[in-house]
Amino acid sequence: MTVDEVRAPVPGYLGRVLDAQATAVGTCFQVAPDQGNWLLAGLLRRPDVPARIVRCSAAAALDWLDSRSPRTQTRLVDDLLCALLLRDDLGPEQQARTFDRAMTVSAAHVTARPTSRVLRILLVHPALDAARRALVAGMALRWLDVQGAHLRLVLPLLDTPGLTPQQATAAADHALNRLERDSTDSRAHRLVGRLTHLPDLTDTQRARLRAALPPSWGDCA
């Protein structure tokens, strides 16, 4: 990198890194890419960022994510994916790239605890097509099989449209497992509300639901 390249004009939101003599040696993205990408994640989480900066930041984040092996899962990778998925102002191409990368990384780490953050957002994302949503639901069920019935995935999974009958039954079983473990949890009412409105609970599942409820709840099932 030449001095002229370092001192060339850069967008105002890209900070410069100075050496001990206060000479610019590059932007944070050039000198310490990982640290620069933490800034990108922060920018993408802000609702007040101008559209031009969102597009540039998303492009830089996606280029960095695509340059890494999908088998490399770090907090930074998860933070960038979550920040990108939560933006509703990405262009079609950037959104498609975000979905592709999020699903590839999730599939490579489907049973890792941090993966639930990305899966939770994908399950309820309004722009995700039915075929991809079915794949994400399958990954979420696999995660629950290994990690246990955590509400972080059980609740959005119960709200996911287009589940196959087998997926719906498995999701209800995980919800019942969670309710049987602790029906006094403050979020149990939300879980019961979703379960009681599911049209395809089996007789066995309805019996489990009634048995799991405290007597003070009455006949909610």
Side-chain angles (χ1 to χ4, degrees):
M1 182 185 303
T2 67
V3 172
D4 287 339
E5 287 173 331
V6 169
R7 294 177 177 170
V10 296
Y13 59 91
L14 295 182
R16 294 177 183 275
V17 178
L18 306 181
D19 63 15
Q21 288 72 45
T23 301
V25 294
T27 69
C28 54
F29 299 97
Q30 295 164 335
V31 176
D34 283 1
Q35 295 304 312
N37 284 308
W38 282 113
L39 296 180
L40 279 182
L43 276 172
L44 289 166
R45 284 194 295 266
R46 291 181 53 176
D48 58 341
V49 176
R52 177 179 63 85
I53 296 179
V54 169
R55 289 194 301 271
C56 292
S57 299
L62 287 164
D63 286 346
W64 182 80
L65 288 167
D66 287 344
S67 72
R68 298 175 66 84
S69 166
R71 295 196 171 276
T72 302
Q73 184 184 41
T74 65
R75 178 63 182 270
L76 176 55
V77 169
D78 291 337
D79 275 12
L80 280 173
L81 287 173
C82 289
L84 287 163
L85 287 167
L86 290 171
R87 299 285 328 178
D88 60 4
D89 51 358
L90 298 183
E93 181 183 355
Q94 289 184 333
Q95 187 175 75
R97 287 179 66 192
T98 299
F99 286 155
D100 287 344
R101 177 51 47 167
M103 294 189 66
T104 301
V105 172
S106 297
H109 303 275
V110 68
T111 60
R113 184 172 288 267
T115 302
S116 65
R117 296 175 61 208
V118 175
L119 292 177
R120 182 171 66 242
I121 300 171
L122 284 170
L123 280 172
V124 299
H125 201 294
L128 198 67
D129 60 76
R132 280 177 166 167
R133 199 180 305 278
L135 291 174
V136 174
M139 287 190 276
L141 288 168
R142 175 65 179 141
W143 189 94
L144 290 167
D145 287 341
V146 173
Q147 295 291 347
H150 290 268
L151 289 179
R152 73 187 73 168
L153 271 188
V154 169
L155 287 171
L157 190 57
L158 291 175
D159 291 336
T160 300
L163 295 181
T164 67
Q166 293 83 0
Q167 288 177 333
T169 297
D173 280 337
H174 281 297
L176 288 163
N177 292 341
R178 179 63 177 80
L179 193 62
E180 288 167 345
R181 193 170 74 218
D182 184 8
S183 62
T184 63
D185 187 288
S186 60
R187 296 165 293 182
H189 284 80
R190 296 167 59 193
L191 198 54
V192 171
R194 284 163 171 76
L195 283 168
T196 54
H197 287 90
L198 290 178
D200 299 321
L201 284 181
T202 66
D203 291 341
T204 300
Q205 288 174 330
R206 291 192 183 281
R208 289 179 64 192
L209 177 56
R210 286 191 294 269
L213 297 179
S216 59
W217 285 36
D219 189 14
C220 295

